[in-house]
Amino acid sequence: MQVVIVGTGKLASELLASHQLGHPFQVVPWGRQAEDEPAIVVHAGSGRELEAVAAFCRATASPLIELSTGSALEREAPEFPVLLCPNTNILMLKFMAMLEASGHFFRGYEMELVESHQASKSSVPGTAVNLAASVGLGPEAIRSVRDPRVQREELGIPEADLPRHAFHRLSISDGACSLRLETRVQGEAPYAAGVSRIVEAVHGKVLEKRLYPIMEFITRGWL
């Protein structure tokens, strides 16, 4: 089974170089796939190839794992399985599922949500938006940090991780009592392992021709 990685940026390069997929998978970049055979397609690109990718998936009945936030596929009724993955760290996804299930307990309290990513990140912080929605906050309530000095001094991000990290901190208070939930994704190739596990989960399922939020895989116990 071929696993086709679409994209030329940092994430796509990471997946090609650091994936953890062995037999029966063969990982290849977009353009080198067998044109007439089903594959598992992982879209980690800007969207430039998305139309051609969708055509390939329709023609070969291939599932698509969409890693880009705000993809055009989110607004369509696809003719092939599409798994929407705004985050691919499995532990982080399980934390998000927990908060999604119980976040309503904290509504009405004073809350602050801070997210930090590398300065080059310009896309919508999809994980932060998801966390905010779980506790009843709108996207406008999210404080996004891209200043390396603030990341180092206030958030404690190590200098070596400034070029690639994901930080989220949710603070909840009633005045007398406060709690803090904090997540950090740091280090080399932090997403390759998670994408590998997602590919394995997709390979083991007969999926319908529809959109699947990655959280459905978590709540069903498929990851």
Side-chain angles (χ1 to χ4, degrees), residues 120-156:
S120 60
K121 179 177 174 63
S122 58
S123 58
V124 174
T127 298
V129 171
N130 182 289
L131 293 174
S134 295
V135 294
L137 295 176
E140 71 283 351
I142 300 169
R143 177 190 168 202
S144 294
V145 178
R146 299 292 181 269
D147 184 335
R149 182 187 62 79
V150 176
Q151 291 169 337
R152 279 193 311 268
E153 298 177 6
E154 182 179 330
L155 305 183

Side-chain angles (χ1 to χ4, degrees), residues 7 19-20 56 75 128 186 189:
H19 68 83
Q20 298 178 11
F56 171 82
R75 300 181 292 277
Q186 298 170 187

